[in-house]
Amino acid sequence: MMTSTSVSSRSDGISVLLRGLVYGAATVTFGTLLFIVVYILWKGVRHLTPSLFSLTYNSENVSLFPALVNTISMTVLSLAVAVPLGIFSAIWLVEYASRNNRLVGVVRLTAETLAGIPSIVYGLFGFLLFVTTLGFGFSLLAGALTLAIMILPVIMRTTEEALRAVPDSYREGSFGLGAGKLRTVFRIILPSAVPGILAGVILSVGRIVGETAALIYTAGTVAQIPDTVFASGRTLAVHLYALWGEGFNADQAYATAVVLLIMVTGINALSAAIAARLHP
Amino acid sequence: MHGVFLASAVTSIFAVLLICVFLFAGGIPAMLKIGVVDFLTGTRWKPGSDMYGILPMILGSIYVTAGAVVVGVPTGVLTAVYMARFCPPKAYRLLKPAVELLAGIPSVVYGFFGLMVIVPALRTAFGGSGTSLLAASLVLGIMILPTVIGVGEAALRAVPESYYEGSLALGASKERSIFFVVLPAARSGILAGIVLGIGRAIGETMAVIMVAGNQPVIPSSLFKGLRTLTANIVLEMGYAADLHREALISTAVVLFVFILCINLAFSLLKRRVIR
């Protein structure tokens, strides 16, 4: 009886079982991740040949280079639309809207709704609006506009959080020195919110790079670098999907997956570095 | 500039309205033409002979999501417990980014991995083609892990430390304190994470297409192929015309309604957590 405390703290059956379950689950989770990453690297790295990075794609070299370039242009285009919109929306929400403005609730609700819509629905919507109704055809522009709407809530939310984290004394100090509202927003508040905003932008880049379903019927699946934004071009993720449909070049597909993994890891590392600076 | 800021803020309202208008205007007429009941409960999808029943796809989406929950939720919640309560700080610095990487891997890469590894493994183990409800459940189960872990961990960390300490002081072991005191206190938050994961699973497209087989038939077992609502749209949108195309938009309407319900459940749960 005297030993009951030490028994219950260490080795009663249920505690041991629960501990085993927790460690088992963690092993399964991280083991799976490790397996996926190592397996893809192992199968793919040796197929990263120079011909895979030829300037143009043909069925012989299955080059991923055009898709890589398209991924970058798609990212730049989408961000060019979504970042100003998202930042301005957040500025309105935090700095301009009064506390009891009904519109604030509606904007929040719609942004949350946008965040929950699956990418295939965006793809279908982009197809109906940009590709057919507005007549852009399958094009980088149609794809970028679709993605811009998709990442808008991410930029809005992170910017809003960043702006709210700026202490009120900054605003009061700026007003006290005689600066106007607009000057205060652009010269004082935004600069101090930059790291937080950047974190949202990087999160969005990750989504753009990995996106497939929203792009197949908006940006299309042409495997070349288009001359204008009004022409079709597939991004890297779409490229991987298209390789599956086109009779399948497994080796090149593994290599493409490796490039995607490297990009995603780089993006994550960047966002972790910024997060570390934000919350040291 | 105030006007510019306001106009930007209104964009998201405008976007949601546009999405609703385009989906509903494109989808509802076809649903009425086919007959709402025939469309929702018809078991045959044969656009060639004008038969548009999407029950197999509705059930396909539900089955696959349920499968993902069975695979992903227990593992995810237990891993969240590990991250919040068991993980030594040094390992945490490595494992936290690992969870984020799990979230960042593109869905098409998961699909590709499923196709090259999980499907052949199932084929060898159980026969058949390997592309099946089981394969899709496994892939989606892995994909919802980071969502369940991330939200669950945050919910566990939000439980006041005094709960845990009080339980320890009453003589309960560390494991009992966590599972019978801390975990129940965090249940709304954990549930919110699960609902978010369900939303992710039901909306997932590319990974499912590559491993589910895509037959528009109600699957009779775990080892049979199936088609989800999302897959139906991607597979046929490329060549569909007229009523067939409209029927695909109607498919998206059904998916959209599912998602709206899940989002509503999520925000209700979140509100409960904040209170």
Side-chain angles (χ1 to χ4, degrees):
Chain A
M1 274 302 125
M2 288 301 287
T3 56
S4 69
T5 48
S6 67
V7 166
S8 79
S9 69
R10 266 290 148 213
S11 56
D12 70 300
I14 290 178
S15 295
V16 171
L17 176 72
L18 291 175
R19 193 163 62 232
L21 281 174
V22 168
Y23 281 100
T27 312
V28 167
T29 300
F30 297 109
T32 307
L33 173 67
L34 194 69
F35 179 61
I36 293 175
V37 172
V38 169
Y39 188 83
I40 288 176
L41 288 179
W42 179 62
K43 289 284 229 178
V45 168
R46 57 192 145 139
H47 297 292
L48 285 171
T49 55
S51 76
L52 209 57
F53 293 91
S54 313
L55 282 179
T56 52
Y57 167 96
N58 57 45
S59 53
E60 198 87 351
N61 62 23
V62 204
S63 171
L64 60 78
F65 184 74
L68 193 60
V69 175
N70 291 340
T71 306
I72 295 166
S73 2
M74 185 67 77
T75 308
V76 172
L77 274 173
S78 313
L79 290 180
V81 178
V83 168
L85 270 181
I87 292 181
F88 286 177
S89 306
I91 289 177
W92 184 78
L93 284 174
V94 179
E95 307 294 336
Y96 284 84
S98 60
R99 214 166 276 279
N100 44 16
N101 193 329
R102 274 262 181 83
L103 204 55
V104 173
V106 181
V107 170
R108 284 237 173 77
L109 184 72
T110 49
E112 260 173 46
T113 310
L114 281 180
I117 294 177
S119 47
I120 178 60
V121 173
Y122 279 110
L124 193 63
F125 164 70
F127 174 72
L128 294 173
L129 174 61
F130 300 120
V131 176
T132 57
T133 307
L134 293 179
F136 294 170
F138 290 135
S139 58
L140 283 188
L141 185 65
L145 290 173
T146 309
L147 291 190
I149 302 175
M150 201 175 93
I151 60 171
L152 183 62
V154 181
I155 309 239
M156 271 173 75
R157 201 193 57 235
T158 47
T159 308
E160 197 187 330
E161 278 165 16
L163 292 177
R164 286 199 193 283
V166 176
D168 266 340
S169 56
Y170 284 35
R171 297 179 180 87
E172 287 153 10
S174 175
F175 291 143
L177 289 170
K181 180 98 181 174
L182 202 60
R183 190 180 293 266
T184 305
V185 167
F186 277 105
R187 303 298 284 273
I188 307 294
I189 300 171
L190 268 188
S192 16
V194 161
I197 298 173
L198 215 54
V201 171
I202 290 169
L203 208 62
S204 310
V205 173
R207 279 201 71 179
I208 296 169
V209 168
E211 188 49 57
T212 315
L215 287 175
I216 294 176
Y217 293 119
T218 53
T221 53
V222 173
Q224 306 295 357
I225 304 172
D227 296 327
T228 70
V229 293
F230 293 102
S232 163
R234 58 160 82 143
T235 64
L236 212 52
V238 177
H239 182 64
L240 180 54
Y241 171 70
L243 285 182
W244 169 64
E246 292 164 0
F248 217 59
N249 302 287
D251 296 343
Q252 285 86 349
Y254 273 118
T256 309
V258 168
V259 177
L260 272 173
L261 268 187
I262 292 172
M263 289 177 86
V264 168
T265 314
I267 292 165
N268 276 17
L270 207 59
S271 97
I274 290 172
R277 270 186 60 189
L278 266 179
H279 317 281
Chain B
M1 273 313 267
H2 186 175
V4 176
F5 296 146
L6 180 61
S8 306
V10 177
T11 332
S12 61
I13 303 177
F14 188 59
V16 170
L17 284 180
L18 266 182
I19 291 174
C20 290
V21 166
F22 269 89
L23 283 186
F24 289 110
I28 301 280
M31 245 190 242
L32 295 177
K33 218 180 294 173
I34 298 160
V36 178
V37 175
D38 287 345
F39 181 69
L40 293 177
T41 62
T43 55
R44 286 195 189 168
W45 177 268
K46 284 183 184 160
S49 37
D50 266 349
M51 289 158 103
Y52 302 101
I54 61 162
L55 188 66
M57 278 69 98
I58 293 178
L59 289 178
S61 282
I62 292 174
Y63 287 173
V64 156
T65 305
V69 167
V70 171
V71 173
V73 167
T75 320
V77 172
L78 287 168
T79 306
V81 170
Y82 175 78
M83 296 294 281
R85 286 288 169 182
F86 286 86
C87 189
K90 264 191 183 160
Y92 189 81
R93 253 177 270 148
L94 188 72
L95 295 181
K96 187 69 185 169
V99 175
E100 276 155 19
L101 180 63
L102 206 55
I105 294 177
S107 53
V108 62
V109 172
Y110 279 113
F112 178 65
F113 174 79
L115 183 72
M116 302 308 279
V117 177
I118 294 176
V119 168
L122 292 179
R123 195 185 300 145
T124 337
F126 304 108
S129 65
T131 51
S132 57
L133 170 55
L134 184 58
S137 302
L138 287 171
V139 171
L140 282 180
I142 299 172
M143 289 181 71
I144 65 169
L145 276 178
T147 313
V148 177
I149 296 172
V151 182
E153 188 196 336
L156 286 166
R157 285 190 190 278
V159 175
E161 197 62 19
S162 56
Y163 285 33
Y164 176 62
E165 285 161 358
S167 171
L168 283 187
L170 289 171
S173 69
K174 175 179 177 180
E175 290 79 10
R176 282 174 184 260
S177 302
I178 290 167
F179 277 87
F180 301 120
V181 177
V182 179
L183 203 60
R187 65 176 182 278
S188 302
I190 292 173
L191 209 57
I194 295 172
V195 172
L196 206 62
I198 290 176
R200 199 172 165 194
I202 207 163
E204 181 46 50
T205 315
M206 307 323 294
V208 173
I209 287 191
M210 293 169 93
V211 299
N214 303 323
Q215 302 89 319
V217 181
I218 301 170
S220 54
S221 85
L222 265 179
F223 307 105
K224 289 284 188 327
L226 58 86
R227 181 187 285 194
T228 61
L229 291 165
T230 52
N232 200 34
I233 303 167
V234 170
L235 290 167
E236 300 187 0
M237 201 62 203
Y239 59 89
D242 306 325
L243 186 60
H244 182 193
R245 193 171 115 168
E246 287 172 42
L248 293 177
I249 302 172
S250 316
T251 311
V253 171
V254 175
L255 177 66
F256 193 57
V257 171
F258 268 109
I259 291 287
L260 287 182
C261 296
I262 292 169
N263 284 359
L264 190 69
F266 176 68
S267 36
L268 289 179
L269 276 171
K270 215 169 63 176
R271 211 162 291 169
R272 249 175 67 188
V273 176
I274 292 165
R275 273 177 204 165

